[in-house]
Amino acid sequence: MISGIIRRKVASVLGQSVPRIRSSVSGPRYYRKTQKEAFLAWQGFEYVQSSSYHIFLGGHAHSNPREVAAIFQTGAFARSRNRSFSSDNGDLIEAVVPFMGESITDGTLANFLKKPGDRVEVDEPIAQIETDKVTIDVVSPEAGTLQKFVAKEGDTVEPGTKIAVISKSGEGVTQAPSEKAAAQPLPPEQKKSVEKQTPKEETAPVKEKIKEPSPPLPKAKGASSPPKATASEPQLPPKDRERRVPMTRLRKRVATRLKDSQNTFALLSTFNEVDMTNLMKLRSDYKDAFLEKHGVKLGLMSGFVKAAVSALQNQPIVNAVIDGDDIIYRDYIDISIAVGTPKGLVVPVIRNTEKMNFAVIEKEINTLAKKANDGSISIDEMAGGTFTISNGGVYGSLLSTPIINPPQSAILGMHSIVNRPMVVGGNIVPRPMMYIALTYDHRLIDGREAVFFLRRIKDVVEDPRRLLLDV
């Protein structure tokens, strides 16, 4: 009823038809006097519909139905609040930082993969966000031309932060001048005008007086020469031969976790050596048939994973972890595989390895290693893990003491295979030998269990038939 009165009042003032207005909620009122009448508008008008084009207090109401969240009368126009667009015609699209995981709140804008003016396709990566654990791509939501970046490299960004603006039509995109265009000579007309504007320099030679070298001044009595640096003083390298580079978030995270591991655990390492003859012969005999049937190569890592599963089942305390004043025994075996990448160390997890055979383990290792190296590994694929295997032998390491990956309690270190003389059956023969190391938390695991654990791995690797017989 009130809205009908308002419509009639406004129509009498303007002398034209006014569209029907339906109020959704009541709210604070805004007043604007027009000669002798006052116009009332409630915050929360929901729809404005009309079949013609009307003048509405200096604003306009179009014939097409439009959803309006609120109408505010300010000055000589009516402003509507509804769903925001990047542009009036929807040509500009914003690329934002995606959701990065429940445990990740922000990241660092590492680098841009595209430049303003480049053509991008749907879901094509345009920037990379570096987090404490993984590198995440920011992709283009629509196909178009990259107009500009609204963030800089090195900025700390959160999910939903705008990174770039993309134009679907390519309008308004300024191309950077190419080097060829900058190197092109000026036209003759412009060249002549430039020459005219440049004042001519005097060509008359200027004779300069040749300064004679002044005779050396006599040394004052009592003056001493500067002291010479002695051989014992350290000679520091010049600063111009040093570079200061900020640490990446992944490197800082790795450094923090490893130092926390040193400060928290009572680290102790025990060692043994393994004769790799039988495992290497098993791989050599069946590698072709294995590849033909399963589509993946048979490596040595799957043998050590199976040996670790057997050892963890024989010594469950190695698979446990301290939590406050309690010990948590885990009845599942998730083995983490340490992978070194150009960006840092990542540790993907193979879950439920106690239920896997050699082929499934090899496939999982290959898949996770590829994802880790190309930076596409996810947070979920690195979360958890009850035991870690680190293979430093691929880099030529002969012996090392690995550091525990929290919140685990032990880590197995594999090393390079070297032919060494060994006594077999009373004879000295060359054998391919590998040193293995187990670093464990001595607060939880005693030396007896640690040695038994390492001996079980040695027995299974040296005689893989034990896995079939479970002995």
Side-chain angles (χ1 to χ4, degrees):
M1 176 179 175
I2 296 176
S3 61
I5 296 173
I6 294 173
R7 184 168 56 86
R8 289 193 294 271
K9 293 288 185 181
V10 174
S12 64
V13 173
L14 299 177
Q16 300 185 31
S17 62
V18 177
R20 184 177 301 275
I21 302 174
R22 177 159 55 92
S23 175
S24 59
V25 293
S26 61
R29 302 180 178 183
Y30 300 88
Y31 296 87
R32 184 180 187 278
K33 294 183 179 181
T34 57
Q35 294 180 357
K36 297 181 180 180
E37 300 292 338
F39 176 76
L40 306 179
W42 279 269
Q43 180 181 5
F45 286 122
E46 190 175 1
Y47 290 97
V48 178
Q49 292 185 351
S50 174
S51 58
S52 61
Y53 194 85
H54 298 281
I55 299 175
F56 185 59
L57 287 181
H60 299 85
H62 197 267
S63 59
N64 294 330
R66 182 179 179 185
E67 182 174 349
V68 181
I71 296 179
F72 299 92
Q73 189 67 30
T74 57
F77 65 94
R79 178 168 61 91
S80 65
R81 184 204 303 164
N82 61 352
R83 190 168 66 91
S84 60
F85 293 93
S86 299
S87 65
D88 294 337
N89 56 2
D91 177 63
L92 300 182
I93 304 297
E94 296 170 347
V96 300
V97 178
F99 176 71
M100 297 182 288
E102 294 181 358
S103 60
I104 300 178
T105 57
D106 58 16
T108 301
L109 183 55
N111 61 305
F112 294 113
L113 305 178
K114 297 290 183 179
K115 295 182 294 184
D118 290 350
R119 175 72 183 178
V120 294
E121 302 298 332
V122 179
D123 294 334
E124 183 177 1
I126 60 175
Q128 288 184 329
I129 306 297
E130 194 175 71
T131 68
D132 297 342
K133 299 180 180 179
V134 294
T135 301
I136 299 173
D137 290 334
V138 179
V139 300
S140 173
E142 296 285 346
T145 303
L146 183 59
Q147 188 182 65
K148 64 177 180 178
F149 290 112
V150 295
K152 297 181 297 183
E153 291 185 357
D155 288 353
T156 300
V157 294
E158 299 177 351
T161 304
K162 290 184 287 186
I163 295 295
V165 177
I166 297 167
S167 174
K168 293 192 289 186
S169 64
E171 297 179 357
V173 179
T174 57
Q175 297 284 351
S178 60
E179 296 179 358
K180 294 182 179 179
Q184 288 181 357
L186 294 173
E189 296 81 3
Q190 295 183 7
K191 189 174 183 181
K192 291 180 180 179
S193 62
V194 172
E195 291 178 354
K196 289 180 181 179
Q197 294 176 2
T198 305
K200 294 183 179 180
E201 298 179 356
E202 295 181 359
T203 58
V206 179
K207 294 183 180 181
E208 296 181 357
K209 294 182 179 180
I210 301 175
K211 295 182 179 180
E212 296 180 358
S214 57
L217 298 175
K219 293 183 178 180
K221 294 181 179 181
S224 60
S225 59
K228 296 181 179 180
T230 61
S232 60
E233 293 181 1
Q235 298 295 326
L236 299 177
K239 292 295 184 180
D240 56 358
R241 297 177 60 186
E242 298 178 350
R243 292 183 298 117
R244 182 180 294 270
V245 179
M247 293 176 65
T248 62
R249 294 178 71 102
L250 180 59
R251 173 53 54 193
K252 287 191 289 186
R253 179 63 174 171
V254 171
T256 302
R257 285 177 60 85
L258 293 182
K259 191 56 183 173
D260 290 344
S261 176
Q262 267 191 334
N263 296 338
T264 303
F265 299 137
L267 299 177
L268 187 61
S269 298
T270 184
F271 306 92
N272 213 321
E273 58 182 358
V274 178
D275 187 349
M276 300 292 295
T277 301
N278 291 331
L279 185 60
M280 294 176 66
K281 187 177 184 303
L282 176 68
R283 183 180 67 169
S284 177
D285 292 343
Y286 294 101
K287 63 180 181 180
D288 295 333
F290 191 88
L291 177 61
E292 182 180 356
K293 180 176 181 180
H294 301 291
V296 64
K297 293 181 179 180
L298 178 61
L300 298 178
M301 182 61 74
S302 57
F304 274 90
V305 171
K306 292 293 291 183
V309 170
S310 177
L312 289 169
Q313 291 173 339
N314 286 337
Q315 301 293 332
I317 191 66
V318 181
N319 201 45
V321 66
I322 293 178
D323 184 18
D325 294 332
D326 301 326
I327 299 176
I328 299 177
Y329 287 90
R330 293 173 284 205
D331 297 330
Y332 58 92
I333 300 176
D334 293 349
I335 293 185
S336 306
I337 306 295
V339 179
T341 68
K343 295 183 178 180
L345 180 67
V346 294
V347 191
V349 181
I350 305 175
R351 306 192 185 281
N352 299 317
T353 51
E354 73 276 8
K355 301 177 182 178
M356 295 182 178
N357 56 22
F358 281 80
V360 177
I361 292 174
E362 288 290 352
K363 291 178 181 178
E364 285 291 318
I365 292 175
N366 288 343
T367 301
L368 294 174
K370 289 179 181 178
K371 289 184 177 182
N373 284 310
D374 60 24
S376 61
I377 192 167
S378 66
I379 301 295
D380 295 337
E381 291 171 323
M382 295 190 297
T386 62
F387 184 76
T388 297
I389 298 178
S390 175
N391 186 7
V394 296
Y395 308 111
S397 173
L398 182 64
L399 191 63
S400 67
T401 55
I403 300 178
I404 296 174
N405 179 29
Q408 301 172 11
S409 299
I411 179 173
L412 175 68
M414 298 169 54
H415 301 91
S416 58
I417 301 173
V418 179
N419 284 323
R420 294 202 303 271
M422 303 297 295
V423 178
V424 179
N427 299 319
I428 299 178
V429 295
R431 290 286 190 175
M433 304 298 295
M434 175 193 288
Y435 288 120
I436 56 176
L438 178 71
T439 300
Y440 58 96
D441 185 2
H442 206 4
R443 302 177 304 164
L444 176 65
I445 305 170
D446 294 330
R448 174 179 175 273
E449 284 78 13
V451 172
F452 283 168
F453 178 89
L454 213 54
R455 281 297 305 269
R456 178 61 183 176
I457 289 182
K458 173 182 171 65
D459 293 341
V460 171
V461 172
E462 290 184 344
D463 188 3
R465 295 174 297 179
R466 290 176 176 271
L467 294 174
L468 299 176
L469 302 175
D470 193 21
V471 295

